[in-house]
Amino acid sequence: YYADFMAQYLAVPRSRIHVIPHGLKLAGHGTRRPAGDNVFTIGFLARVCPDKGLHNLIAAAELLAADPTAPPFRVRAAGYLSEADRPYLAAIESRVKTWAEPARFRYEGELTRAEKIAFLQSIDCFSLPTVYHESKGISALEALANAVPLVVPEHGVFPELIATTGGGVLHPPDDPQALANALRGLMTNPEQASALGLAGQQFIHREHQAEAMAEQTAALPQKLSAEGRV
């Protein structure tokens, strides 16, 4: 996705841009550990700012909370928070305080690597309803590494990510009702959620290893040199 975008943006031939898939350091990733209390946990892991769309997830959670047929659920968010974006989070937390069950939402703060993996392994699905077009989606890849299915907007890198990994579902962007519907689909169909997560995990562990990324990065200059292109 981003190679196509940059080729157009920079007005260079697409053939001059080489794509090396992102690789993850997979040690520690791999085993999801649900809470076991029959409360579906929706996770958000990204920089806390308007671009990443936490407010869209909060709006969808309000719609789910208003649906008497929706299973019990909670929302847990984590990620970097800049001083400039503290008012954004404060507004969300003030909004949540008006809920009948404010404990449905909690911001876990900024996490270490070990804490991040533990966080991902504690959730039942991963939602990143970005406003802008995501170029990489690293945290989505990390969620999949732990067999956590994705619920992500149909723009940026996400359609490609879902198509290649089979690890989640798409929803129309900036549409809290569509997001709520997609989340409810996984909440009420745990077998589907599990199958999507496992499919994504297998793909990530096969195709997105840090070692493979390093090898491809080292090999590319040699390949271009052999072709007389550098």
Side-chain angles (χ1 to χ4, degrees), residues 1-4 19 135 155-166 170 203:
Y1 155 74
Y2 206 58
D4 292 344
V19 177
S135 61
H155 62 190
V157 72
F158 293 131
E160 177 184 357
L161 182 58
I162 296 301
T164 55
T165 67
L170 298 168
F203 188 91

Side-chain angles (χ1 to χ4, degrees), residues 13-180:
R14 175 63 179 81
S15 61
R16 295 187 62 187
I17 300 177
H18 298 262
V19 177
I20 296 173
H22 291 289
L24 303 180
K25 183 180 178 182
L26 291 171
H29 290 281
T31 304
R32 191 163 63 88
R33 300 179 178 87
D37 57 4
N38 296 319
V39 179
F40 191 90
T41 304
I42 303 164
F44 171 100
L45 177 62
R47 185 163 59 94
V48 179
C49 65
D51 280 349
K52 296 293 186 178
L54 179 58
H55 58 283
N56 282 333
L57 179 55
I58 295 300
E62 289 175 343
L63 293 169
L64 287 169
D67 180 357
T69 67
F73 74 93
R74 58 188 158 227
V75 178
R76 297 293 180 258
Y80 172 70
L81 177 66
S82 71
E83 286 296 325
D85 288 312
R86 288 188 182 278
Y88 171 74
L89 178 61
I92 286 175
E93 291 178 330
S94 294
R95 179 175 177 176
V96 168
K97 286 179 182 178
T98 68
W99 292 3
E101 298 180 53
R104 282 188 191 271
F105 172 78
R106 186 169 69 232
Y107 170 59
E108 305 282 3
E110 299 175 32
L111 307 179
T112 65
R113 182 177 189 275
E115 291 169 341
K116 175 178 64 176
I117 292 173
F119 174 82
L120 291 171
Q121 292 178 349
S122 73
I123 63 178
D124 295 295
C125 81
F126 179 86
S127 175
L128 188 58
T130 58
V131 173
Y132 87 120
H133 290 199
E134 185 75 31
S135 61
K136 301 182 293 294
I138 297 296
S139 59
L141 295 176
E142 292 174 323
L144 289 177
N146 295 283
V148 179
L150 309 180
V151 179
V152 287
E154 196 172 7
H155 62 190
V157 72
F158 293 131
E160 177 184 357
L161 182 58
I162 296 301
T164 55
T165 67
V169 296
L170 298 168
H171 63 85
D174 291 318
D175 186 338
Q177 184 63 67
L179 173 55

Side-chain angles (χ1 to χ4, degrees), residues 208-227:
H208 286 276
Q209 300 177 18
E211 295 82 1
M213 180 177 66
E215 290 170 0
Q216 291 181 55
T217 302
L220 181 58
Q222 299 177 17
K223 176 179 182 294
L224 295 178
S225 178
E227 295 172 355

